[in-house]
């Protein structure tokens, strides 16, 4: 839709009458919208989408730009030479592609001012044509490794790790198969959750038969088999958008994440009773202190490394994220061992993660958001979330509410810690408008 000077009464504007400057403005507007759409569909925050669109508009020598960005659409108005144009684009399928986010950020930093529309179109086309870097079978292995690592951090034993590995891999492949056939997203999440948790129960029962008894740590691994379905990017970026009072983008993202979590909850509910999962808190794993901490640190690294690879991050970014997780998660685990409330320990851990990602990102020219999201997911409160579901299923309301509140507090602490780090390290987060 174009906005131009009012026409004389009784006359209508024929597109064929547009002179060359008008057609040129249409092309430049579409390139700005194309850049924003690519960034939004990659899963980053609305601030980064708007920032990219402004830089592309500047490179294309547009005079003014105004954007309105939500989770599923972009509204854009630009002007050049006194002529205005407005365009709206829908983004019906949200997703996550960390490699594309990094490529678009690099494009915006390196784009010459001015640039020709042909040059911008060529560079956007190269980003758009980039394919996923890894085959599904390799991603299934990495996802299984990440989920098994989370089981270790949740105080699971070797039986839980052995059951999570195949269950999460099959669940991930099920998710990919259903998504390629365009099934409803919530149905995909419910199905993949049921397959993952059901596979965990099956393998656990087989191991119980071999070992001659049920593992007392089964609950530590049950939810970890499906932890890869947690909507980490929309949950974190939605919280960050809300932290900037960007309600237009933040509320839909958080609502989307809540719907995915609800679909996961339904998939878990289908199996909690039949599996005989006990909601009791699992005691820490005993053993030699050095061995226990070696397992914890290794699990912190591989959990984040696997998640980062699942988000299609470059390998060096995934390794940097894993290393940061080892450094920042260890103090959180120590605090939990000494009785500190989970949400308090999580806040300081995520604050440290935000600062470390800022420093490492600047040193090695890595995009901060694609490092931060997988790193903070190591603090996901899977155990308390599972206890909430099981207690509600048993109609035991008081402990269900207590665990539900604890889960929400940890999620809020994750976002609050990141926001605090962002406000200290980036001016656009610390201030609500341009600084004078």
């Amino acid at each position: 839709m174009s906005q131009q000077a009012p026409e004389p009464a009784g006359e209508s504007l024929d597109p064929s009458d547009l002179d060359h400057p008008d057609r040129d403005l249409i092309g430049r507007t579409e390139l700005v919208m194309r850049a924003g759409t690519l960034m939004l569909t990659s899963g980053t925050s609305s601030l980064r989408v708007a920032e990219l669109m402004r830089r592309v508009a500047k490179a294309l020598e547009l005079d003014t730009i105004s954007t309105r960005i939500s989770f599923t659409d972009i509204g854009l108005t630009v002007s050049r030479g006194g002529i205005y144009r407005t365009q709206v684009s829908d983004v019906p399928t949200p997703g996550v592609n960390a490699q594309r986010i990094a490529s678009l950020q690099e494009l915006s930093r390196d784009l010459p001012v001015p640039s020709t529309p042909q040059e911008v179109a060529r560079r956007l086309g190269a980003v758009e044509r980039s394919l996923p870097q890894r085959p599904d079978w390799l991603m299934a292995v990495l996802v299984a490794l990440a989920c098994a690592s989370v089981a270790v951090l949740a105080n699971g034993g070797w039986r839980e790790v052995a059951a999570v590995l195949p269950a999460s891999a099959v669940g991930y492949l099920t998710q990919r198969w259903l998504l390629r056939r365009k099934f409803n997203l919530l149905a995909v999440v419910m199905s993949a959750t049921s397959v993952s948790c059901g596979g965990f129960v099956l393998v656990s029962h087989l191991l119980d038969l071999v070992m001659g008894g049920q593992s007392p740590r089964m609950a530590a691994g049950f939810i970890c088999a499906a932890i890869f379905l947690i909507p980490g990017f929309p949950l974190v970026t939605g919280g960050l958008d809300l932290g900037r009072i960007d309600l237009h983008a933040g509320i839909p993202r958080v609502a989307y994440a809540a719907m995915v979590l609800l679909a996961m909850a339904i998939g878990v509910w289908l199996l909690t009773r039949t599996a005989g999962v006990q909601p009791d808190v699992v005691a820490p794993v005993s053993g030699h202190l050095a061995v226990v901490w070696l397992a914890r640190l290794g699990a912190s690294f591989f959990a984040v490394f696997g998640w980062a690879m699942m988000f299609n991050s470059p390998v060096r970014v995934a390794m940097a994220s894993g290393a940061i997780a080892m450094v920042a998660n260890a103090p959180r685990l120590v605090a939990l061992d000494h009785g500190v409330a989970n949400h308090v320990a999580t806040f300081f851990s995520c604050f440290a993660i935000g600062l470390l990602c800022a420093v490492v990102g600047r040193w090695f020219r890595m995009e901060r958001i694609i490092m931060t999201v997988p790193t903070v997911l190591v603090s996901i409160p899977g155990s308390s979330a599972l206890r909430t579901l099981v207690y509600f299923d048993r109609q035991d309301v008081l402990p269900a509410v207590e665990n539900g509140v604890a889960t929400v507090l940890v999620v809020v602490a994750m976002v609050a810690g990141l926001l605090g780090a962002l406000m200290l390290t980036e001016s656009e987060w610390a201030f609500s408008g341009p600084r004078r």
Side-chain angles (χ1 to χ4, degrees), residues 54-76:
R54 285 195 301 270
R55 289 178 178 174
V56 173
K58 182 179 179 181
L60 291 171
E61 298 182 286
L62 295 172
D63 297 335
T64 64
I65 175 173
S66 177
T67 59
R68 182 177 175 85
I69 302 166
S70 77
F71 187 43
T72 56
D73 62 77
I74 300 176
L76 167 67

Side-chain angles (χ1 to χ4, degrees), residues 271-312:
L271 290 161
T272 49
R273 280 189 177 272
T274 56
V277 177
Q278 299 298 320
D280 301 331
V281 177
V282 178
V285 176
S286 59
H288 193 281
L289 187 62
V291 175
V292 170
W293 272 102
L294 182 63
R296 283 178 156 188
L297 293 175
S300 298
F301 176 87
F302 285 111
V304 172
F305 179 81
W307 273 321
M309 297 290 278
M310 184 179 70
F311 295 145
N312 199 34

Side-chain angles (χ1 to χ4, degrees), residues 40-59:
L40 184 60
T41 56
S42 300
T44 193
S45 67
S46 62
L47 175 65
R48 297 306 177 206
V49 178
E51 184 180 70
L52 171 67
M53 296 176 74
R54 285 195 301 270
R55 289 178 178 174
V56 173
K58 182 179 179 181

Side-chain angles (χ1 to χ4, degrees), residues 20-233:
H20 178 73
D22 293 328
R23 292 197 301 272
D24 182 64
L25 178 61
I26 291 172
R28 291 171 190 261
T29 306
E30 289 178 346
L31 286 172
V32 176
M33 179 62 79
R34 184 179 174 188
T37 302
L38 283 172
M39 186 64 106
L40 184 60
T41 56
S42 300
T44 193
S45 67
S46 62
L47 175 65
R48 297 306 177 206
V49 178
E51 184 180 70
L52 171 67
M53 296 176 74
R54 285 195 301 270
R55 289 178 178 174
V56 173
K58 182 179 179 181
L60 291 171
E61 298 182 286
L62 295 172
D63 297 335
T64 64
I65 175 173
S66 177
T67 59
R68 182 177 175 85
I69 302 166
S70 77
F71 187 43
T72 56
D73 62 77
I74 300 176
L76 167 67
T77 299
V78 300
S79 71
R80 190 169 191 249
I83 301 174
Y84 288 82
R85 175 173 171 79
T86 295
Q87 185 171 336
V88 178
S89 178
D90 292 328
V91 184
T93 306
V96 177
N97 190 326
Q99 175 65 59
R100 181 169 289 178
I101 294 172
S103 298
L104 288 169
Q105 285 293 91
E106 182 180 359
L107 180 150
S108 70
R109 286 193 298 265
D110 300 338
L111 196 62
V113 179
S115 293
T116 64
Q118 292 77 13
E119 173 64 14
V120 175
R122 183 188 66 80
R123 298 185 68 168
L124 287 176
V127 174
E128 195 171 18
R129 288 189 298 270
S130 62
L131 299 175
Q133 298 178 329
R134 304 162 192 102
D136 281 351
W137 68 265
L138 178 58
M139 292 307 305
V141 172
L142 293 170
V143 167
L145 180 62
C147 293
S149 298
V150 177
V152 172
L153 295 174
N155 297 320
W158 72 266
R159 280 200 260 178
E160 286 67 43
V161 171
V164 164
L165 284 168
S168 56
V170 173
Y172 175 79
L173 293 174
T174 300
Q175 178 203 29
R176 301 305 304 164
W177 188 87
L178 293 173
L179 286 176
R180 286 200 178 96
R181 282 150 183 82
K182 308 296 183 182
F183 280 89
N184 177 277
L185 177 63
L186 298 182
V188 171
V189 172
M190 283 189 286
S191 301
T193 302
S194 299
V195 169
S196 299
C197 295
F200 174 82
V201 171
L202 177 61
V203 177
S204 293
H205 285 172
L206 292 176
L207 291 173
D208 291 343
L209 291 175
V210 173
M211 300 302 297
Q214 185 176 1
S215 171
R217 300 180 180 274
M218 181 183 179
F222 182 78
I223 198 66
C224 297
I227 205 77
F228 67 91
L229 292 164
I230 293 289
F233 256 89

Side-chain angles (χ1 to χ4, degrees), residues 421-433:
L422 284 167
M423 290 178 184
L424 282 179
T425 56
E426 297 190 24
S427 61
E428 59 263 43
W429 290 94
F431 300 90
S432 58

